[in-house]
Amino acid sequence: MYHIVLCFAAALVCSSCRAASVNKHLKLLPELENSIEGNGLPTKHSPARRFLSLTKRPHATHAHAPGALLSLTCEALGAPAPAVRWFKNDAPVYEHDTESIEQIDINPTSLARVSSTLLVTRTEDTDEYTCLASSGKKVVRASTIVYSTAGVTPDKTERSKLQPFAPRILVTYKAFVDTIGNSIVLPCKAKGHPRPRVTWKDNNGTFVTRDTKRMKVLRSGELVISSLLWSDMGEWTCQAANIFGTKTASTFLYPALVSRMKQPATEIQSSVNT
Ligand SMILES: *[C@@H]1O[C@H](CO)[C@@H](O)[C@H](O)[C@H]1NC(C)=O
């Protein structure tokens, strides 16, 4: 992790490189330095340069009007890349999608800022929702109380779930860092009715198709990139579309050099130029 951070710093110095937007995107990771400093400088005895923090949490309370779609969002920054799960009154909220990021091994060398949104369609009186972010053995959580503006709702049908609605993108990485050469998975979990179709565009704005080498869009919407290259750096965009609309979300991808030793900026520079 520490080495990845060093590479970040080196990349910041290299302001003329082709990924000129790096500076802008590094602002997505403002807590990075703090997290590192907060944990103290890594030592030989703490090889796990791991950290986890919630960077966005829902308000303490939310009012929910009957029939409305309430979205609760949590954002977590951590290394390795955190996974976010949701609980309603302490019971896990299961999503219908079985193909999800949880099923895929998370590279221990990864770092991500993940955004996870839960859509609340129905509230009876008062419910407590909790988002739980985990990264390795670390866990952080935040809770919110959702109360119905109508008090106890007499209508207990699940009709609202079946109503058609435009796509919403629920789970994405705002930023993702992993080591060059690794295979990575970028989530793009979308919801909508009918089920939205997810497509991805690469860092040059080109659609990823079946013929794209090293890349594959899974049925779940996740993008798999095998053997990450330095030239993959940049903003990747997923798009979810159904007949009612289209939503996009982008992930800033940073392929990092990792070595046992401090990476000299010159090496970074030379790999930029190749
Ligand atoms: C985007 O364009 C650059 C410059 O031509 C290239 O090096 C890079 O491989 C392209 N990205 C992808 C994912 O193909």
Side-chain angles (χ1 to χ4, degrees):
M1 225 329 286
Y2 184 54
H3 306 296
I4 291 177
V5 175
L6 290 177
C7 296
F8 260 121
L12 275 169
V13 174
C14 148
S15 55
S16 61
C17 62
R18 55 167 277 274
S21 59
V22 168
N23 287 347
K24 183 185 111 194
H25 290 284
L26 285 178
K27 286 182 187 142
L28 286 168
L29 301 164
E31 297 84 359
L32 189 56
E33 280 172 64
N34 292 339
S35 306
I36 298 299
E37 282 165 14
N39 295 343
L41 279 180
T43 68
K44 270 186 186 168
H45 300 291
S46 64
R49 276 112 198 175
R50 293 152 183 266
F51 66 91
L52 175 64
S53 65
L54 276 183
T55 51
K56 188 174 179 183
R57 54 180 72 218
H59 294 297
T61 58
H62 281 274
H64 184 218
L69 201 57
L70 171 67
S71 62
L72 305 174
T73 298
C74 273
E75 248 179 55
L77 172 68
V84 177
R85 278 174 297 154
W86 288 88
F87 294 81
K88 177 183 180 182
N89 301 325
D90 289 332
V93 176
Y94 292 110
E95 300 289 345
H96 302 291
D97 245 347
T98 48
E99 275 182 282
S100 74
I101 191 79
E102 272 98 357
Q103 262 78 45
I104 291 160
D105 282 342
I106 287 177
N107 294 332
T109 53
S110 64
L111 179 159
R113 182 164 184 150
V114 59
S115 174
S116 177
T117 298
L118 182 76
L119 295 180
V120 175
T121 52
R122 199 162 56 95
T123 304
E124 283 166 39
D125 197 13
T126 307
D127 292 315
E128 185 187 39
Y129 285 90
T130 303
C131 71
L132 185 142
S134 58
S135 163
K137 285 177 183 166
K138 289 196 168 154
V139 168
V140 285
R141 70 189 81 207
S143 293
T144 179
I145 300 292
V146 176
Y147 61 91
S148 171
T149 54
V152 179
T153 337
D155 179 14
K156 291 198 175 186
T157 63
E158 301 260 320
R159 239 185 322 151
S160 53
K161 277 189 181 168
L162 299 173
Q163 280 169 9
F165 69 100
R168 307 280 289 253
I169 294 175
L170 303 182
V171 180
T172 54
Y173 290 155
K174 296 261 174 106
F176 186 76
V177 182
D178 208 341
T179 315
I180 289 169
N182 276 358
S183 294
I184 64 162
V185 181
L186 302 180
C188 180
K189 184 175 164 184
K191 214 167 188 176
H193 194 77
R195 186 186 173 149
R197 198 174 96 84
V198 175
T199 50
W200 278 87
K201 278 182 187 171
D202 70 13
N203 55 340
N204 298 317
T206 309
F207 276 109
V208 173
T209 66
R210 275 187 201 170
D211 302 324
T212 312
K213 279 180 194 157
R214 292 191 300 121
M215 284 158 215
K216 195 180 175 201
V217 180
L218 303 183
R219 248 163 34 91
S220 56
E222 289 161 328
L223 174 70
V224 179
I225 306 178
S226 47
S227 53
L228 196 57
L229 302 174
W230 173 257
S231 58
D232 292 333
M233 179 190 282
E235 209 162 45
W236 292 67
T237 310
C238 82
Q239 177 180 301
N242 69 13
I243 50 169
F244 297 104
T246 299
K247 267 273 159 51
T248 59
S250 55
T251 300
F252 181 71
L253 176 60
Y254 188 97
L257 292 165
V258 173
S259 76
R260 294 260 158 237
M261 298 202 292
K262 215 170 159 173
Q263 197 77 39
T266 48
E267 268 185 51
I268 307 265
Q269 190 68 58
S270 65
S271 66
V272 169
N273 294 336
T274 51

